[in-house]
Amino acid sequence: MRTPSFRISYAVLLVASVSAASASLAADIRVFSSGAPANVARVLAERFTRDIGDRVEFTVANPAGIQEKLRSGETPDIVLLPGSVVDGLEKSGALRPGSRSNVARVGVGVVVRTGAPLPDVSTADAVRKALLDARSIVCPDPIGGGVTGPALARMMEQLGIADAVRPRITLRQAIAGGVELVAKGEVELGLFNISEVLPVKGVTLVGPLPAELQSYIVFTAAIHAGSAAPGPAAVFIKVLSAPAAREHWKAGGLESIRGGS
């Protein structure tokens, strides 16, 4: 059962949707999203479709893959990507001016197979020891087109263990099965965005990286300049950043950012 605040939020958005949709009672909104925010965005999209009627379709890939699709001429209604990537798209003129909104951020967590001993990851020294002790590690490729891989490569350099752990590292994006390698017991320890760990069965999130090593990614939604449904797209972006979405982002391992730009 929806809470009163959720109903009120959607009532306001419904009024906005009617004005924005003008001639169309049901629009198709195409969203190009990177992996970390996609699961929560899909949940919010289901509610949005049920309450307002506009349908939302997702294409999920890493940021480099999405940028390649955009360069090839594909025109989604919304991009949901790390803010740094949106900055570049905005400068290139690929986005509608003034349409961007920061919706959520995510940090990196450490994951092990369910039932395995939980290493201490509460401090930088503890993380260093956990990585040196692990027989195998999986994390995103720093040149794979995402943001987390480069951040983790810098972290290992910062800890002074990059050379020591490199032979034991498997490079695999979470959306390409990286977390599943841990679930199957093929790799002992994984480092991924927390939101990409929680949906995978058979793994346990040990915890987030400590503050001194943490690298947050802020995800930004914006309307593509070629959008065929900019009005409904703007309403869905409001849904992503509305107060009613906060608990959904939290349940998905992210932190809501209310409408920042």
Side-chain angles (χ1 to χ4, degrees):
M1 180 176 181
R2 295 192 192 102
T3 63
S5 62
F6 194 93
R7 289 197 298 268
I8 291 169
S9 296
Y10 268 88
V12 172
L13 291 169
L14 179 58
V15 172
S17 181
V18 170
S19 299
S22 49
S24 176
L25 294 179
D28 289 323
I29 302 169
R30 296 181 65 212
V31 180
F32 282 8
S33 175
S34 51
N39 286 323
V40 176
R42 283 187 172 113
V43 170
L44 294 169
E46 290 175 3
R47 287 181 174 271
F48 175 76
T49 298
R50 185 167 63 246
D51 290 356
I52 293 179
D54 296 331
R55 297 175 294 270
V56 186
E57 300 175 355
F58 286 86
T59 296
V60 180
N62 65 25
I66 289 174
Q67 289 178 92
E68 181 60 32
K69 289 179 180 294
L70 298 177
R71 284 192 293 268
S72 72
E74 295 194 43
T75 54
D77 297 294
I78 295 171
V79 294
L80 179 54
L81 296 166
S84 59
V85 178
V86 172
D87 290 343
L89 293 174
E90 192 170 42
K91 290 176 182 176
S92 73
L95 306 177
R96 289 175 69 94
S99 68
R100 63 181 288 164
S101 179
N102 293 340
V103 298
R105 73 174 189 173
V106 67
V108 176
V110 179
V111 62
V112 297
R113 188 180 189 185
T114 298
L118 305 183
D120 180 8
V121 295
S122 61
T123 65
D125 285 341
V127 171
R128 180 188 292 108
K129 183 178 187 305
L131 293 173
L132 289 172
D133 289 348
R135 71 176 186 278
S136 54
I137 301 164
V138 60
C139 62
D141 189 342
I143 60 171
V147 177
T148 305
L152 288 171
R154 290 192 297 269
M155 181 197 77
M156 292 178 193
E157 292 286 352
Q158 175 186 340
L159 292 173
I161 61 172
D163 291 338
V165 300
R166 188 172 293 115
R168 289 176 277 134
I169 291 179
T170 296
L171 298 174
R172 184 78 59 86
Q173 306 289 342
I175 61 174
V179 186
E180 281 83 356
L181 292 179
V182 180
K184 294 174 183 177
E186 296 177 20
V187 178
E188 181 178 348
L189 186 147
L191 296 162
F192 295 102
N193 292 323
I194 293 172
S195 60
E196 295 175 301
V197 168
L198 296 183
V200 180
K201 295 181 179 180
V203 297
T204 297
L205 177 66
V206 180
L209 291 176
E212 62 265 41
L213 299 178
Q214 187 58 265
S215 179
Y216 287 101
I217 302 173
V218 174
F219 291 99
T220 302
I223 300 174
H224 193 271
S227 169
V235 177
F236 184 58
I237 290 177
K238 290 182 183 296
V239 169
L240 294 175
S241 57
R246 182 176 298 275
E247 290 305 312
H248 293 283
W249 289 115
K250 182 178 179 181
L254 300 97
E255 300 174 22
S256 174
I257 300 175
R258 287 183 56 186
S261 60

